[in-house]
Amino acid sequence: MKVAIIGAGNGGIVAAADLTEKGHEVTLYHSKSALKDPHPNIIDGNVSFKGKLIHFEQYTQDPKLAVAEADVIMTCLPTNILLEIFKEIGPHLKDGQMIYINGASSMFSILIHQYLNETRPELEVYIGESMSLTYAARYDYTANEAEVILYSEHNLFSAYPAADTKIMLEKLDALYDCFVPAKNIMEPALNNGNPESHPAPAILNTGFIDNHGDEFYLYKDGVTEHTIKVIEEIDVERQEICKALDFDAVDKSERSIRSKYFKEGASLQEQYNTSPILKDLLGPTHLENRYIVEDVTNGLMLWKSIAEAVEVKTPTIDSIIHLTRLMLDDEHFKNPLTLERLGLDARRDLNGQV
């Protein structure tokens, strides 16, 4: 298929290499507003992958060239910049194309759907997102070398509206074999592992991050015998939200074993501390990191709004949100992702529009 990958960061470059090797025709789009240019070899369409040079179809900063002929448009970007990127590519989309948000799920498909309805009401495209990125990926800029450390498994996926999920997966399954259809767009968001894994141990280690951030490893240093209790309680509250919505309530350990990030036979703390996928990831090196800002404003605050709609109490989630707001500037919290912003009601939309 012809695949447009939106975002030439680490995830986008690895995806370009991986999908090219699988036989797909890949165009890699890098916005002119991006803060950093990619490696010169990427601009020429070349990247090292699995010990050989991969040449993908093209690199471009022209949004029309990027998406005009694509079957699938896949974003590999932080959610907080997705709307701005769609202002660039939106005018060039065509009927029948599929937009796949590949990353940590936060129901952002709804905002893209709303934006396109407002700006191009005649356009008919498919939009959906997965629970998490389809693989753990690394990219070495100096060597221009892309690496897939792990292909995810049991990755929940939903289109918005959910009635389009089957149609989208008929095409997306040709790219990745990890997808499991979710009941609706809320289910992948409530199984996104980042909001329970990142903010709490980061906030509880604020002093060390402020003074020694460039030496901080969240998974093996920040997750301790004490901070794990907070992570576990956040997970309990998340499971209660899932139960209220009639979703499977699977705990953090089992979910991560299922997706191959954790190994069986250890406590949750040990699983975080020793995960070969996670333990050597440096950071966050400061509190304005996406592990905190994005995973609170687009993660925990979304979960809290869903919990309120289905009358589930979330005191631990509330406390982490409160502490984060105390420590960071109000600027970060002006427009968080909530059901109100998305225009949804959890109970009303459970088996309907979502």
Side-chain angles (χ1 to χ4, degrees), residues 219 223-225 228 232 251-254 256-257 261-275:
Y219 296 102
V223 180
T224 69
E225 61 181 306
I228 193 66
E232 288 172 336
D251 68 34
K252 173 62 182 174
S253 178
E254 184 177 344
S256 296
I257 291 169
Y261 276 80
F262 289 171
K263 294 181 179 179
E264 295 185 71
S267 69
L268 184 60
Q269 180 196 341
E270 292 170 331
Q271 288 173 324
Y272 275 109
N273 293 163
T274 62
S275 168

Side-chain angles (χ1 to χ4, degrees), residues 5-17:
I5 297 175
I6 310 302
N10 292 1
I13 290 171
V14 172

